[in-house]
Amino acid sequence: TGVWQNETDETITGTVSIDGLKDKVTVHYDAQLIPHVFAQNENDLYRAQGYITAKHRLWQMEFQTYASAGRLSEIIGEAALNYDRQQRRRGMGFGADQAIAKISEDPETTAFLEAYAEGVNSYINQLQPKDFPVEYKLLDYQPEPWTIKKTALLLMYMTKDLAGGDSDLEYTNALRMFGKERFDVLYPDFFDVIDPIIPKETDWSYIDVPITETPESDLPLDSIPKTLDKPNPDNGSNNWAISGEKSYSGNPILANDPHLGLNLPSIWFVMQLSTPTHNAFGATLPGALGIISGFNTNISWGETNATRDVLDWYKIEFKDETRKQYKYGDDWKAVSFRIEEIKIKGKAAYIDSVCYTHHGPVAYDKNFMGDNKLAGYAMKWSGHIGGNNQRTFLELNKGRNYDDYVNALQHYTAPAQNFVFASTEGDIAIWVQGKLPNKWKGQGKFLMDGSNPKHDWQSFIPQPFNAHTKNPERGFVSSANQHPVDESYPFYVFNDGYETYRNRVINNFFNSKETFNIQDFKDLHNNNYNLKAAELLPYIFETMDSSQLTAEE
């Protein structure tokens, strides 16, 4: 149980045995201790990725899955109970189950995920209790076997972090207090000044699917004193690529700067993953397959968060206090119950029965943050749809051109991301990719009526009509969590807390001269020019009454 014995340099030379390998795998470590994995086939590659990731990041990758599943009370006791209840009521485990169901339709991805899990477990099985990473000793528990469910939970953790925010209930409060006219002034769908991800001059005339028709109906104007914890609103990322015409070398250059939480250890783990048929290098997520942001011999890719509104709230009206049925149209639909047993270190388990409607889990009800025995609020969330996101990254890792990139993106569901792309063929592109509902104008901005079928998500935007651009005239593509499109895009997109300064700094930079080199990219990564201050300060200086201020002020 002592921790001092952990304070030794990890052995990274010699031969190790990993259960199930079909052939020899070689791992080289460079001067930065980045592992470069060379396997003869993909099954061995992902088995080795699991083993190597566990060797360096076992506690991190497992703790994140406990957090995602709402199981922290098992490790740290009753202090985590409220957090765990929130995770269960968000349907994190339910969403992971939906993803597994979708992945199971793809035997190849399933086989690679199983190989990864077996690689992780091969490392765990070699550990004696004295070898457990120090965090296990401090918290007094031990590693569990890795499973595909844990990978699905890790991806749900990322979905919550990147697509788990909303302001529907807060906006509903504001609408009730201010009225529609004043609300629209304070919270417009589009700012006066926007520089969207997809250039304003884009022609959308090829889109032949109409926006969902707005129903004539009322919205419930309920209030709630407290909401579920939200992701940090200041999280954000940048990516950009320039064409060969704007590049010092005549070849495209791509950069990705994902600002996820600044954690120790880092949320990223850099690796090279190579077989005789493909060779990819970049950032992995401990617990998931493949390179998430990186490059191979032919293409490069990266992501920023698209922050589209894919989480909506519905007021649920129960028939009676048994909560076994809820009103829908002119009838009553059956509720299903997911019994959540939350184990608590040193105490009896806590049982939380969560109602599920066709919208999704009823997060707020008489048992949690609510006091109405006959009503609750259910969440409809793209995180519950179930997608095979792993397939996207497996295919990007092997991609050779723009078509391969577009085909890979079709599997990707949530959290919606701005996927930037460049290739050795000279193409650059960016797609806003995710499974995105085709909403009526205003839908999802406020609490909706869960009994009105017209308030449901009626359909999804067909994937080919997701906003994208390839080789735009301006010679670059970029994103920084701003509006994806301007008002000419035919589907409803409202201001979901979009950034409107950082993105303009990037675009102004790439419009500022004809060609750019690697140092220019480094300079842009380190650019801290505050455009917001630059635009506000002149107005402040001109209009502020300074007569009452001290000399220092």
Side-chain angles (χ1 to χ4, degrees), residues 60-76:
Q60 175 196 17
M61 59 197 285
E62 192 181 37
F63 189 79
Q64 286 178 328
T65 67
Y66 270 80
S68 180
R71 294 181 59 196
L72 291 186
S73 299
E74 294 179 36
I75 301 172
I76 59 177

Side-chain angles (χ1 to χ4, degrees), residues 59-98:
W59 180 77
Q60 175 196 17
M61 59 197 285
E62 192 181 37
F63 189 79
Q64 286 178 328
T65 67
Y66 270 80
S68 180
R71 294 181 59 196
L72 291 186
S73 299
E74 294 179 36
I75 301 172
I76 59 177
E78 200 169 19
L81 179 59
N82 193 57
Y83 174 88
D84 286 347
R85 290 189 71 191
Q86 288 198 47
Q87 295 295 84
R88 307 291 181 109
R89 285 175 166 269
R90 274 192 176 97
M92 298 291 281
F94 172 72
D97 291 341
Q98 301 303 107

